[in-house]
Amino acid sequence: MGATNTSGNVTLDDYKTAQCGPAYQGNLCGDCREGYGKVRAFLCRKCMSRATIIMLYAAAALALIGLIKLLMYFHHSSNTTPRKSLADPISDELLKVLVLHGQWLYIISNLVNVPWPVTLAVPLQILNGIWSSSNGSSIGFECIFPRNAIPLSIQRVLFCLFTPVAIMCAVLLIEAVVHRVGNLKHSSATHTRHKLASLVVAVVFLSLPTWVSTAFSLITCMQLDRPASPPYQAAAVGRFWVADMQQQCYAGYHKAWAFGLGIPLLLLLCILLPGGVFMFMWRSRKHGLLTDVAFERHYGFMYHLWRDEVCWWEAVVVLQTIGLVMVATFGFALGSYYQGLVTGAVLGLIVMLLLSVRPFKCPAANTVAIQSACVLLMTSYTALTFLPYNGLEPGHVYGNIVGVVLLLLNVVFLASTIWRLALTIDWSAAREALRTSIEKGCGVKQRKSVKAAGSSSSGGLPVESKDAGAEGQP
């Protein structure tokens, strides 16, 4: 790798660096230079200030915590409030479609080497920032973490895996504080288990794309040079890890992490998780448990959105997300054009499944889900027209106009779905619940202050009973 060239004192590393742009270095220009952060594979951007990045990560984490609380609230209200009619969608259904749309659009936006027009690139960067709290590459991981004995690629993996867990712990802490302030220490154990189950489901649902992408990235390799005969010399012989193009695949530290973490994580997320959900729900339906009150109270979050015939559809949603992540992770080897084609094929399959199965209990929710998949399919296929073809590149005017059309398409879908979601919410009940929680918190503080004041003024004596006795004397 660092051998001296026979024509002079220029090393192979110097030659490779000279072939890269100012932001890149290493084999195939796959790593970022100092002062640049990796946004995705083979794409580096100049670092923002460390304070700015930390503030953006913190804002994204707060947004994710708010989304988790929203998912928990809607899930709880959907389980406790009976559905008025199957023709009316419930908030949980619409919110699930919205979150899936955002996750899948984020995956599409990270297709390798797609030159998104500026009218679409800026909104997609904002979307990436929203998910940045669970993805170390969205803003620039290398810009805030030091280069030390632990390789940056491994630091990024650990960050992506454990940040959702840290956010879940933060939500648990918030719940504990709310219970303490609201004097809810004596809430039932069943209620606590339900809230904990809702929290775990929300975190897994939101973090699944990041976890699957991280697991796939641990085993994603690329073939570079093959051995050459003298007087020629191959610069980088063998397969190299895409996350660290200086590290050979399944050698050195990569071997331990790939087999010790990557393979088990893939088995857990891609096989055991969807397979376990499918088998559990299929057996539960076979034994007639779906209508059991106790079973629904404990496991309703897994099937209450879906028709009884496809109560296991949550496993299909997991597999759909895994399929899109797999194309985005491994598709770079196919090239940008074929990667976009395969992504469109996966989305087309999703549209066909939704049209033929219609898994939601509510017909309106099925319509919204089909609209979401069609919008994503159009976005994915239109992205192919931004790529150069046979030496021809699309003009800036075309790119900006089409970018505005795609942006409006997504914005109209999101706005209409959010409006329908707002119509499903009982705002008077929500305001009453907020007012009650505030009054409980203030009531606890007032009782504590009155008790403290009474104790200090009377020296611990029962003043009120003494006064009452005086009033009874002649």
Side-chain angles (χ1 to χ4, degrees):
M1 300 269 300
T4 303
N5 195 331
T6 56
S7 60
N9 293 325
V10 180
T11 65
L12 288 175
D13 288 340
D14 295 334
Y15 179 72
K16 288 185 291 186
T17 301
Q19 291 181 314
C20 300
Y24 302 90
Q25 64 180 358
N27 295 329
L28 214 63
C29 304
D31 294 324
C32 302
R33 290 191 183 182
E34 196 78 29
Y36 292 85
K38 182 177 289 186
V39 179
R40 59 176 182 263
F42 305 104
L43 178 61
C44 301
R45 288 191 183 137
K46 191 172 183 62
C47 290
M48 295 179 284
S49 67
R50 180 170 295 186
T52 301
I53 295 176
I54 292 175
M55 288 178 59
L56 290 175
Y57 271 122
L62 289 176
L64 194 59
I65 289 174
L67 186 55
I68 290 173
K69 291 290 295 178
L70 201 62
L71 285 168
M72 293 174 62
Y73 170 77
F74 284 149
H75 166 65
H76 176 72
S77 62
S78 299
N79 280 348
T80 56
T81 304
R83 188 194 292 263
K84 298 178 181 178
S85 170
L86 285 179
D88 298 325
I90 58 176
S91 52
D92 214 5
E93 292 172 325
L94 297 177
L95 186 60
K96 189 177 189 70
V97 175
L98 278 174
V99 174
L100 280 176
H101 186 90
Q103 288 179 332
W104 292 355
L105 183 60
Y106 168 75
I107 295 171
I108 293 171
S109 70
N110 283 280
L111 294 178
V112 178
N113 296 328
V114 173
W116 299 100
V118 65
T119 52
L120 199 56
V122 174
L124 291 178
Q125 288 181 12
I126 295 174
L127 177 66
N128 289 347
I130 294 174
W131 296 111
S132 62
S133 59
S134 61
N135 190 322
S137 300
S138 297
I139 297 177
F141 183 87
E142 294 87 346
C143 302
I144 57 175
F145 282 84
R147 301 173 185 266
N148 51 36
I150 302 177
L152 281 174
S153 53
I154 299 300
Q155 293 185 44
R156 188 185 300 110
V157 167
L158 296 177
F159 180 88
C160 293
L161 290 180
F162 290 107
T163 298
V165 179
I167 290 177
M168 183 171 67
C169 294
V171 176
L172 284 175
L173 181 61
I174 293 173
E175 289 291 325
V177 172
V178 169
H179 276 237
R180 184 175 181 83
V181 172
N183 198 24
L184 302 175
K185 298 178 183 178
H186 303 293
S187 59
S188 65
T190 302
H191 177 72
T192 303
R193 286 198 302 269
H194 290 168
K195 297 200 73 170
L196 182 60
S198 298
L199 172 60
V200 173
V201 169
V203 171
V204 172
F205 175 56
L206 292 174
S207 306
L208 182 64
T210 298
W211 285 342
V212 173
S213 176
T214 303
F216 279 134
S217 70
L218 280 168
I219 61 170
T220 306
C221 301
M222 174 177 276
Q223 177 71 44
L224 296 187
D225 297 339
R226 300 189 181 278
S229 302
Y232 303 101
Q233 183 179 1
V237 179
R239 297 174 60 83
F240 286 80
W241 187 24
V242 172
D244 183 0
M245 290 299 292
Q246 311 310 309
Q247 174 61 46
Q248 281 197 324
C249 254
Y250 306 115
Y253 73 87
H254 178 250
K255 181 178 181 180
W257 286 94
F259 287 104
L261 181 61
I263 301 299
L265 199 58
L266 285 175
L267 290 175
L268 173 64
L269 296 174
C270 301
I271 297 179
L272 295 180
L273 177 60
V277 170
F278 174 80
M279 289 301 301
F280 178 73
M281 295 312 307
W282 180 76
R283 289 175 62 88
S284 299
R285 179 174 180 266
K286 182 179 178 181
H287 291 88
L289 296 176
L290 300 186
T291 56
D292 182 77
V293 176
F295 183 86
E296 185 175 5
R297 187 168 59 247
H298 286 88
Y299 303 105
F301 61 85
M302 297 178 67
Y303 67 92
H304 75 284
L305 301 180
W306 317 115
R307 294 188 295 111
D308 290 347
E309 296 82 2
V310 289
C311 58
W312 37 260
W313 194 259
E314 196 69 40
V316 178
V317 175
V318 172
L319 290 176
Q320 290 170 347
T321 302
I322 291 172
L324 287 171
V325 172
M326 186 182 299
V327 174
T329 305
F330 296 110
F332 70 90
L334 303 173
S336 301
Y337 184 76
Y338 290 102
Q339 185 186 33
L341 284 178
V342 177
T343 302
V346 174
L347 290 170
L349 179 60
I350 293 174
V351 173
M352 291 175 60
L353 286 173
L354 289 173
L355 286 171
S356 58
V357 179
R358 296 185 176 269
F360 285 99
K361 288 181 179 179
C362 173
N366 284 313
T367 301
V368 174
I370 293 170
Q371 291 172 349
S372 170
C374 289
V375 170
L376 293 172
L377 178 60
M378 189 173 297
T379 303
S380 172
Y381 266 125
T382 308
L384 298 177
T385 65
F386 301 141
L387 297 170
Y389 182 75
N390 285 340
L392 299 177
E393 295 188 8
H396 292 291
V397 176
Y398 167 82
N400 289 331
I401 292 176
V402 175
V404 169
V405 172
L406 290 178
L407 178 62
L408 289 176
L409 192 65
N410 282 274
V411 168
V412 168
F413 166 75
L414 293 174
S416 63
T417 307
I418 291 173
W419 175 253
R420 298 186 71 165
L421 176 63
L423 293 178
T424 65
I425 300 175
D426 187 351
W427 292 103
S428 59
R431 286 193 296 268
E432 181 64 23
L434 179 62
R435 185 183 66 81
T436 303
S437 62
I438 293 175
E439 286 180 352
K440 284 183 178 180
C442 295
V444 171
K445 293 179 180 179
Q446 289 176 357
R447 286 194 299 270
K448 288 182 178 179
S449 61
V450 170
K451 184 177 180 181
S455 299
S456 59
S457 61
S458 62
L461 296 176
V463 178
E464 296 180 0
S465 61
K466 184 177 180 180
D467 293 337
E471 290 176 359
Q473 293 177 356

